[in-house]
C-alpha cells in the first residue's frame, strides 16, 4: 500500500487531499497511468505532467523513479520563491 498525497490544484481536481492505494506500478509514471485510467478527475489532474512535481517519501523525484520500498507519493505543482 502506498499513501498518495495531493496538493494545491491537484487536490482540487481530484477532490481528495490523500488516499491509500494498492498498486502494481513499478515507477511513478506507471502509477500515474493507473490513476488516469480510474476516473476523469484523475485524467484531468494528471493530463500535463510538465506542470507537476512528485516527491517520494518527502524527497523530490522524477516520474521515471522506482516505487520499490516507497511508502508515500506526493503530487504538487511547481513552487516559486519570492
Amino acid at each position: 500500500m502506498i499513501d498518495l498525497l495531493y496538493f494545491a490544484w491537484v487536490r482540487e481536481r481530484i477532490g481528495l487531499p490523500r488516499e491509500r492505494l494498492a498498486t502494481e506500478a513499478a515507477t511513478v509514471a506507471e502509477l500515474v497511468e493507473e490513476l488516469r485510467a480510474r476516473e476523469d478527475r484523475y485524467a484531468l489532474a494528471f493530463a500535463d505532467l510538465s506542470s507537476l512535481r512528485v516527491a517520494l517519501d518527502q524527497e523530490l523525484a522524477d516520474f521515471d523513479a522506482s516505487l520499490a520500498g516507497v511508502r508515500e507519493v506526493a503530487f504538487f505543482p511547481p513552487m516559486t520563491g519570492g
Side-chain angles (χ1 to χ4, degrees):
M1 296 292 278
I2 293 180
D3 288 318
L4 304 178
L5 307 176
Y6 307 117
F7 294 94
W9 56 260
V10 181
R11 176 180 57 223
E12 291 171 14
R13 289 180 185 172
I14 292 173
L16 298 169
R18 68 184 313 137
E19 64 183 314
R20 184 166 263 211
L21 180 73
T23 181
E24 297 294 320
T27 65
V28 176
E30 289 178 17
L31 174 62
V32 167
E33 287 305 314
E34 262 185 42
L35 292 170
R36 281 180 178 155
R38 289 176 88 184
E39 294 179 37
D40 288 344
R41 62 188 173 138
Y42 291 95
L44 179 62
F46 294 108
D48 180 11
L49 296 187
S50 68
S51 66
L52 283 174
R53 298 294 177 263
V54 63
L56 304 180
D57 292 331
Q58 300 182 8
E59 296 286 331
L60 286 176
D62 293 320
F63 284 88
D64 61 353
S66 172
L67 292 177
V70 171
R71 287 180 258 152
E72 179 185 273
V73 180
F75 295 101
F76 51 92
M79 303 299 197
T80 58

